[in-house]
Amino acid sequence: MMLNPIALALLPLFASVQTGSDVRLAQTLDAFDRQCATLDSIEGLDARATAAGWEAFTPEEDSAAGRLLGVTLGAAEDSGATLKTGTLRNADVEGRVLFLAQVVASNGAGSVECRLLDESTVQPPAAEPLIEWAGRAPRERTLPSGATSWFWSGGVHGEANFTVVLFVEPGTSAARAGTGLQVVAARMTNP
């Protein structure tokens, strides 16, 4: 059977068409890059996010952002660490929450973290767009708890010690800390 020459000519166009989830992933990664490249302090992250139109809000407890915040606060309390957090949203980056955290342990060590949460993502992303975004392959893991992670030691951009993309499937044990897609960068701080 011979394929129609017109169909063959159009094949590259169809191959490059992005699906809605591909576009959403690209938008999420772009928003993350704009807000989370510099990990100086929670105050610096918050000031840049506010200047870019993000507004502070308190997430509902049963939302993915609320569960993430609750687990983070609980872990800090259990470990005796000092924690500053902020949750922000932006109408231009619809349906995503920017989560900022600065942790200082009792010995003075800690971290500054910037996380973008898109709780509307219901399927894990393909690895290829993540590799293209990062410029190198991650270490990929699928956990029995219902989470899949793509981890880059040394970070993807800027001064991060690590960057991770995490997908948490609804209805799994990992979902107690929020569901959807999270893109995270963290910089460790020394005492």
Side-chain angles (χ1 to χ4, degrees):
M1 176 161 102
M2 189 153 178
L3 288 175
N4 181 325
I6 294 173
L8 284 174
L10 293 175
L11 197 56
L13 294 175
F14 292 122
S16 66
V17 172
Q18 290 187 317
T19 66
S21 61
D22 293 339
V23 170
R24 183 128 182 122
L25 175 62
Q27 291 169 340
T28 298
L29 295 173
D30 181 57
F32 174 82
D33 287 346
R34 282 183 277 129
Q35 295 310 144
C36 298
T38 303
L39 298 169
D40 51 351
S41 66
I42 192 170
E43 293 83 8
L45 284 161
D46 185 66
R48 286 185 296 279
T50 301
W54 293 78
E55 297 178 353
F57 83 107
T58 303
E60 294 181 27
E61 275 187 47
D62 64 342
S63 69
R67 291 191 305 274
L68 174 61
L69 182 59
V71 166
T72 303
L73 293 171
E77 186 177 304
D78 291 348
S79 70
T82 302
L83 175 69
K84 292 190 247 177
T85 64
T87 49
L88 301 99
R89 61 181 165 202
N90 184 332
D92 294 337
V93 190
E94 182 184 339
R96 296 171 187 92
V97 174
L98 189 62
F99 180 82
L100 313 174
Q102 188 162 350
V103 180
V104 179
S106 58
N107 67 359
S111 66
V112 175
E113 175 185 309
C114 185
R115 178 181 304 241
L116 191 66
L117 169 65
D118 182 357
E119 57 191 312
S120 71
T121 301
V122 295
Q123 292 186 0
E128 293 79 20
L130 297 176
I131 293 168
E132 185 177 318
W133 166 71
R136 61 189 166 100
R139 184 174 35 170
E140 184 175 345
R141 291 183 55 193
T142 300
L143 306 173
S145 63
T148 303
S149 68
W150 297 264
F151 182 86
W152 291 268
S153 180
V156 169
H157 305 296
E159 56 202 24
N161 292 97
F162 70 84
T163 301
V164 64
V165 174
L166 178 69
F167 172 75
V168 179
E169 189 173 333
T172 62
S173 62
R176 76 178 195 42
T179 58
L181 184 72
Q182 299 176 37
V183 187
V184 185
R187 179 182 62 84
M188 302 303 130
T189 56
N190 295 318

